[in-house]
Amino acid sequence: MQQMPALAAAALWGGLLIVLLVVLSGRVIAGRWRHRVSTGDGSEGQLTLASRSFGNAAEYIPTGIAALILLALVGGSITEVHIIGGLLLAGRLMHPVGLALRPPNLFRVGGMILTLLALLFAALLLILAAIPAL
């Protein structure tokens, strides 16, 4: 019975993370439209920044969503899912802000730290859940 609330929590965080991806993608599309660039960044600084912000999120968010779903399916608690989802969303929100502020700063570094902590915490919980079944 505990899996259903955890799965609903995973769905919540997954949905929020997907919205973030769509927003970041929208910034790339708008930048390409504004600068009349079909592919790539046309050497436009703001478009490069938007593209990297989206690209970086696209590299980490799918793994995070998969981890949240797996954790809920193997019996992870709703609290664990909320902690991991919250850390991941916070990290993914902080990182593009930090990219915009260059040079590397607390937002960028903090965003990566929160993202990696969320993924490592999820990985540890998934490994611990799998060991008894082996």
Side-chain angles (χ1 to χ4, degrees):
M1 194 69 172
Q2 187 175 2
Q3 286 182 347
M4 292 312 290
L7 199 52
L12 170 68
W13 292 109
L16 291 170
L17 289 160
I18 291 168
V19 168
L20 176 59
L21 270 177
V22 170
V23 169
L24 293 172
S25 176
R27 292 177 59 214
V28 174
I29 293 166
R32 286 191 176 142
W33 182 263
R34 185 179 323 100
H35 297 291
R36 301 186 192 284
V37 174
S38 176
T39 58
D41 61 21
S43 298
E44 294 289 341
Q46 288 299 318
L47 186 50
T48 302
L49 176 63
S51 294
R52 280 313 313 141
S53 293
F54 170 76
N56 193 274
E59 292 165 359
Y60 288 98
I61 286 176
T63 303
I65 292 173
L68 291 169
I69 293 167
L70 284 170
L71 184 60
L73 291 174
V74 299
S77 74
I78 190 171
T79 302
E80 292 164 341
V81 171
H82 279 308
I83 290 169
I84 292 165
L87 287 172
L88 187 58
L89 182 62
R92 294 297 80 214
L93 286 169
M94 288 174 64
H95 191 264
V97 172
L99 279 175
L101 295 176
R102 293 185 239 191
N105 55 64
L106 286 179
F107 282 102
R108 186 173 179 187
V109 173
M112 283 310 305
I113 289 171
L114 291 179
T115 298
L116 295 175
L117 279 175
L119 293 177
L120 285 171
F121 184 41
L124 176 65
L125 292 174
L126 289 169
I127 291 166
L128 292 174
I131 289 173
L134 299 177

